[in-house]
Amino acid sequence: MSTLALWIPLLPLLSAAALAGVSLSDRGRAQNGRSRARAAVPALAVLPIAAAAVLTFVVLFGHGTGAATESRIRYAATGGPEIWLGARVDGLAALIAVLVGVVATAVQLYSVSYMAHEERYTSYSAMISLFTAAMLVVVYSTDLLVLLVGWEIMGACSYFLIGHHWERPEARSASIKAFLVTKFGDVPFLLGILFLAHGAGSFRIQPILQHAIQQGGHGYTAAGAILLIGGVMGKSAQVPLQTWLPDAMAGPTPISALIHAATMVAAGVYVVARLYPVFLVTPAALWILAISASLTAVTAALSAFAQRDLKRILAYSTVSQLALMVAALAAGGRDAAVFHLMSHGGFKALLFLGAGVIIHKAGTGDVDELNTQGLRRKLPVTFVTMTIGLAALAGFPPFSGFFSKESIAGAAYETATHSGPTKSLLGITPPAGIGWLVLVATLLTGFLTAAYALRTWWMLFGPLERGWFRSAVEISQRQLKPPEPAEEAATPTAAEVAAASEWALEALVAESIREQDAAAQEAAAKARAGRPEAPRAELLPLVVLAAVTTAFGFVGLNLGWFASWLGDADGNAYRASAAKAGKLIQPAAAYHLAPALLSTILALIALALGFGVVFAAARAKPGADPNHVLGLLRKPAFLGFRADDLQDAVVVRPIQIAADTVGFLDTEVVDGYVRGSGHAARLLGEGLRRLQTGNVQLYLTGVLTGVVVIAAALGFGR
């Protein structure tokens, strides 16, 4: 299967190359030629990705429950660790590749209709295909340097796709921000790879894992694990590098689905799961992951609760849910983290694609405006599928999010109450403190997630008559009141007549503006209402993803099914008997995803409390946005707790000051010395030039004067 996996990334790569060729050829052709070329674009975009998705299923079922296999060739002999081109297929790679293939196919199919009006649709599709190929390289790679290549290509693709609408200032700034913030984390990520390779003597994943298992978490292994966290925080948007992801919503909605569900942000979680023994033997790295993830999960959930824009709500939700995965990894729940990664990929892609249908139909993403448009009646398929997606996000049984998030709580509880030496190959588990921290953060995040998921559903499809916020246009177009005449004046004065005339003119103009705006809005609404809910190319991915979201969680009910397919953390096959005998990387309880009684009760209590808060808020202030219960936290949560300002104060401004200082020293000090030496040489030359007059008498006078001065000096010296 590893040989077949070598060819899978080539399909989207060839698709990207073909689409790029069509895009470049279109620029020099006439309109009719461009139309003929674009006719083939949907097929070039969808079919290779769909074929790659089918092959990922072939690899998954062909691999089955076996141990990791590799197919590789030596790319370069460096005199030290060698670089290998090849594919490594184990349960983790096979499962995540399926997620990437399915979501990428859904996004490309959805984009055929959603982006049909875009002039740059061809280049957009080419970039999606390249993005998909890069993620598949990350998933299947057997060498960390080759993995880094795919990792960086994804960063470049995200820059171009987020800035697809480059004519908009917010899209340009968001793309630059995403690129710079993720690159900031990629610097320690590269150093971490070099440390691990130096310690193990190889860039290949298998020797690095074996070195960590045999030597433990010290020296190069510990340094490498801690440095890798920088890249994980950048790609998966964890504190303190989380600020780029909400702004990335400036890109087209299908891109948001791809980035949030299966590629960019999933890569950080995947790398930790791929190199999990390296982190397990490094307690310091686990503590860093746990603290960062716990803080990110809670603050991002609060920010999601406070947002007005639908896509920003989902963006902050992604940040929070990714933090739960990272927290699960820190608490020893590798299987639970991967389970939630796959579950989240399905329902978050569903939510973003559904949001795209809503925004296209309603012409806005502001939930305060959406709740007055009767979306439940106008968009029946989107209503049902979005309801399923939000229920899964909230952790409502029996949808997939309930099972996957409950498994994280169960893993955290297991670590909190059974920490210490265990019956396993490593003989250790994460500290109990990490388990308690992750358990509390998971339950609190579950409460907040249920609250903002229900609030989002309520604002989209609920019975609110009018939103909490008022637009500036509505305020500026209020009915003007005429000035009241003075009571003591029997007859109007000239000033009163002028004021009344001015009021009448203003009222007439305002009424005219209102009528024009109302007519335009009515015409736009009728035009949108006349169209069907959405093309089949957009609705089909919603229905498929909703079905997956409904059914996927049940795989966790079997104690050994998911663990058998996922395999052990070192790539070996999972066997229940081996787990009980302590021959696997983790203790037997770490591989079980079935809901436990206590964690299930706690998860359901958090869910009920979250729903209850929103219902109570809606009853207390009918017609108001339920997020008013946040009180004083509402504004800072809406602003993302001013993380951008903190980054500006801690990083941007000091760098600017340092750059200004270096610039001053370079131009005024270093260049000053250079300019001064040249100026001095010119002055000296000018003085000597004035002495060279060509007058022989002057020269003889100078010589004579010099002789006299020397003689006088010698005479006085005696």
Side-chain angles (χ1 to χ4, degrees):
M1 287 299 106
S2 58
T3 303
L4 177 60
L6 278 172
W7 299 98
I8 293 179
L10 291 178
L11 289 174
L13 184 61
L14 292 174
S15 170
L19 290 167
V22 172
S23 179
L24 292 174
S25 64
D26 276 352
R27 295 182 181 179
R29 292 185 179 182
Q31 183 64 39
N32 58 350
R34 185 161 58 249
S35 299
R36 286 196 301 270
R38 285 195 60 148
V41 169
L44 291 174
V46 176
L47 294 180
I49 300 293
V54 172
L55 291 180
T56 61
F57 277 100
V58 174
V59 170
L60 174 65
F61 291 115
H63 174 267
T65 60
T69 59
E70 286 188 12
S71 295
R72 63 182 187 272
I73 57 172
R74 189 173 67 178
Y75 175 74
T78 63
E82 297 175 338
I83 302 174
W84 296 83
L85 292 178
R88 170 188 167 91
V89 175
D90 58 7
L92 174 64
L95 286 169
I96 301 302
V98 167
L99 172 65
V100 174
V102 170
V103 173
T105 302
V107 168
Q108 285 282 37
L109 179 61
Y110 183 94
S111 298
V112 170
S113 170
Y114 192 88
M115 301 292 289
H117 64 285
E118 287 277 349
E119 184 67 23
R120 299 190 294 271
Y121 169 65
T122 306
S123 59
Y124 160 90
S125 299
M127 204 58 64
I128 289 181
S129 295
L130 182 59
F131 208 154
T132 306
M135 184 60 188
L136 289 171
V137 168
V138 170
V139 170
Y140 283 134
S141 176
T142 189
D143 188 283
L144 287 184
L145 277 187
V146 178
L147 182 150
L148 181 65
V149 172
W151 181 278
E152 296 301 335
I153 291 175
M154 281 198 298
C157 289
S158 68
Y159 167 77
F160 289 111
L161 288 170
I162 294 170
H164 176 75
H165 298 296
W166 49 263
E167 63 276 4
R168 302 176 185 172
E170 63 272 16
R172 294 197 300 269
S173 61
S175 63
I176 294 172
K177 183 178 183 179
F179 187 81
L180 292 179
V181 172
T182 55
K183 293 308 114 181
F184 187 83
D186 288 350
V187 174
F189 187 80
L190 171 60
L191 294 176
I193 290 176
L194 297 178
F195 270 86
L196 292 178
H198 183 76
S202 175
F203 286 107
R204 284 178 52 231
I205 291 174
Q206 189 62 32
I208 289 174
L209 296 182
Q210 292 302 318
H211 178 265
I213 293 169
Q214 296 169 5
Q215 302 298 322
H218 54 78
Y220 292 109
T221 299
I226 293 172
L227 288 168
L228 286 176
I229 293 175
V232 172
M233 288 178 174
K235 278 290 191 289
S236 293
Q238 301 296 290
V239 169
L241 302 179
Q242 82 282 16
T243 56
W244 69 270
L245 192 54
D247 290 345
M249 297 304 96
T253 301
I255 289 306
S256 301
L258 186 65
I259 291 176
H260 287 245
T263 53
M264 186 83 164
V265 297
V269 177
Y270 173 80
V271 166
V272 177
R274 160 62 73 219
L275 301 174
Y276 198 50
V278 172
F279 291 89
L280 268 182
V281 299
T282 312
L286 295 179
W287 273 110
I288 294 172
L289 288 173
I291 294 171
S292 174
S294 299
L295 182 62
T296 305
V298 176
T299 56
L302 286 169
S303 294
F305 200 3
Q307 299 304 307
R308 289 179 55 189
D309 184 79
L310 178 57
K311 288 176 66 177
R312 286 185 72 86
I313 293 172
L314 298 178
Y316 275 109
S317 170
T318 297
V319 175
S320 181
Q321 297 302 303
L322 287 168
L324 290 182
M325 303 171 205
V326 176
L329 290 165
R334 172 179 174 266
D335 289 45
V338 176
F339 187 29
H340 191 51
L341 176 62
M342 298 193 67
S343 169
H344 174 265
F347 66 71
K348 188 53 62 71
L350 166 63
L351 288 172
F352 269 110
L353 297 181
V357 173
I358 290 173
I359 293 170
H360 256 195
K361 187 70 174 180
T364 180
D366 191 316
V367 293
D368 185 63
E369 298 178 19
L370 290 172
N371 72 33
T372 64
Q373 299 198 17
L375 298 178
R376 186 172 184 171
R377 175 179 51 82
K378 295 177 182 177
L379 308 175
V381 176
T382 306
F383 163 67
V384 173
T385 55
M386 285 284 285
T387 300
I388 292 174
L390 288 170
L393 173 62
F396 193 87
F399 301 103
S400 61
F402 165 75
F403 293 100
S404 58
K405 289 202 287 186
E406 192 282 334
S407 67
I408 294 175
Y413 178 77
E414 194 70 29
T415 297
T417 56
H418 298 90
S419 184
T422 60
K423 195 175 182 182
S424 68
L425 196 61
L426 292 178
I428 58 172
T429 57
I434 291 180
W436 288 116
L437 175 63
V438 171
L439 179 61
V440 171
T442 301
L443 294 176
L444 183 56
T445 304
F447 159 71
L448 293 170
T449 303
Y452 72 71
L454 180 58
R455 177 246 181 181
T456 303
W457 185 90
W458 202 286
M459 298 293 285
L460 293 177
F461 309 112
L464 290 178
E465 297 178 357
R466 193 169 182 82
W468 175 258
F469 299 96
R470 299 292 182 265
S471 66
V473 175
E474 181 184 353
I475 294 174
S476 66
Q477 295 181 357
R478 292 178 298 184
Q479 178 67 42
L480 297 174
K481 294 183 179 180
E484 297 181 358
E487 294 180 0
E488 63 274 10
T491 58
T493 64
E496 290 173 348
V497 172
S501 300
E502 184 180 354
W503 167 81
L505 180 61
E506 290 179 357
L508 183 62
V509 172
E511 182 65 25
S512 176
I513 293 174
R514 282 196 299 273
E515 290 177 355
Q516 292 176 4
D517 289 347
Q521 292 175 5
E522 185 178 357
K526 288 182 178 179
R528 289 192 295 266
R531 298 196 304 262
E533 176 177 356
R536 292 182 179 179
E538 296 181 24
L539 294 180
L540 180 59
L542 296 183
V543 174
V544 172
L545 291 171
V548 172
T549 298
T550 303
F552 180 71
F554 290 99
V555 303
L557 290 177
N558 187 303
L559 289 178
W561 188 91
F562 194 81
S564 297
W565 281 84
L566 184 58
D568 201 11
D570 61 353
N572 289 323
Y574 169 83
R575 296 288 183 270
S577 58
K580 292 179 180 179
K583 296 180 180 179
L584 298 181
I585 298 297
Q586 294 180 270
Y591 302 92
H592 294 167
L593 300 178
L597 179 60
L598 180 60
S599 57
T600 299
I601 292 174
L602 292 175
L604 291 176
I605 290 174
L607 175 71
L609 289 175
F611 282 179
V613 165
V614 174
F615 277 119
R619 287 177 61 87
K621 290 186 178 181
D625 190 328
N627 72 5
H628 66 80
V629 297
L630 290 175
L632 295 177
L633 283 175
R634 187 181 181 186
K635 183 176 180 180
F638 179 78
L639 298 174
F641 295 97
R642 296 192 178 276
D644 284 309
D645 295 338
L646 180 61
Q647 286 184 356
D648 186 66
V650 174
V651 179
V652 178
R653 291 182 184 176
I655 290 177
Q656 287 178 339
I657 293 173
D660 292 340
T661 302
V662 170
F664 172 80
L665 293 175
D666 183 49
T667 58
E668 302 300 327
V669 178
V670 177
D671 287 355
Y673 279 113
V674 175
R675 290 193 300 268
S677 61
H679 187 61
R682 286 196 300 271
L683 290 177
L684 180 60
E686 182 68 19
L688 293 175
R689 185 185 65 80
R690 293 182 182 277
L691 293 176
Q692 303 299 322
T693 62
N695 190 333
V696 178
Q697 292 178 346
L698 180 62
Y699 296 161
L700 292 175
T701 301
V703 171
L704 180 60
T705 301
V707 170
V708 172
V709 170
I710 293 172
L714 292 175
F716 282 112
R718 292 180 180 178

